Amino acid sequence: MELNAKAINMMHCAISVDEYWKVSRCKTVKEIWEKLQVTHECTKQVKETMIDMLQKEYEIFFMKDGEIIDEMFEKFSIIINSLDVMKMTHIEQTLVKKVLRSLTKEWEIKATMVAKRNNLSPLSYDELRRKRLA
């Protein structure tokens, strides 16, 4: 198998089935790369719209009644990681405060204890997530 065929095979193995169907007819790695770039490249307007939607999700985020704390952290992480990709980052302390304010009533006492115990500033979002408000 020649080098180009091996490289194409590696590219096909590295992408999802949906992506594969977009590039399966490409003859070179360069063609695959260019096709994927065009497919995933977004215009400035699309990017701004995506940022607006993610910021809205961030603003209205809250834990739902009956939701498990790990599920809540997972949903919030998806939002903030998506914002990070769009170069819209938040300070750790802001993320911690947002999570603590977004909890349901059943978590209110634990959230208050965490806030008092850690004084919030030295506590990162990842540390809060690891502790699961224990």
Side-chain angles (χ1 to χ4, degrees), residues 6 13 21 26 31 35 48-49 51-52 60 67 70 72 74 94 98 109 115 117-118 128:
K6 285 182 181 180
C13 290
W21 291 116
C26 295
E31 281 182 67
K35 177 85 91 168
E48 287 175 5
T49 301
I51 290 170
D52 287 344
I60 65 171
E67 186 172 34
D70 288 335
M72 185 271 311
E74 185 66 29
T94 303
K98 176 67 175 168
I109 293 172
R117 183 174 58 225
N118 292 294
L128 180 67

Side-chain angles (χ1 to χ4, degrees), residues 15-24 36 39-40:
I15 59 178
S16 70
V17 174
D18 290 336
E19 299 297 322
Y20 171 78
W21 291 116
K22 293 174 187 170
V23 299
S24 63
L36 290 172
T39 303
H40 294 284

Side-chain angles (χ1 to χ4, degrees), residues 1 15 21 27-28 40 47-48 55 58 60-61 65 76 88 93-94 96 101 107 109 126:
M1 191 184 284
I15 59 178
W21 291 116
K27 303 292 183 219
T28 66
H40 294 284
K47 185 176 179 180
E48 287 175 5
Q55 283 180 319
Y58 176 85
I60 65 171
F61 178 81
D65 288 329
F76 191 67
M88 302 295 295
Q93 188 175 6
T94 303
V96 170
R101 283 192 313 267
W107 288 93
I109 293 172
D126 289 332

Side-chain angles (χ1 to χ4, degrees), residues 94-111:
T94 303
L95 297 175
V96 170
K97 286 180 179 181
K98 176 67 175 168
V99 168
L100 294 177
R101 283 192 313 267
S102 301
L103 297 169
T104 58
K105 288 279 187 199
E106 78 179 86
W107 288 93
E108 196 171 287
I109 293 172
K110 285 187 178 186

Side-chain angles (χ1 to χ4, degrees), residues 2 10 12 27 31 33 43 46 50-51 71 86 91:
E2 69 178 75
M10 286 176 49
H12 286 167
K27 303 292 183 219
E31 281 182 67
W33 182 252
T43 65
V46 170
M50 289 172 66
I51 290 170
E71 292 172 344
M86 297 291 181
I91 300 167

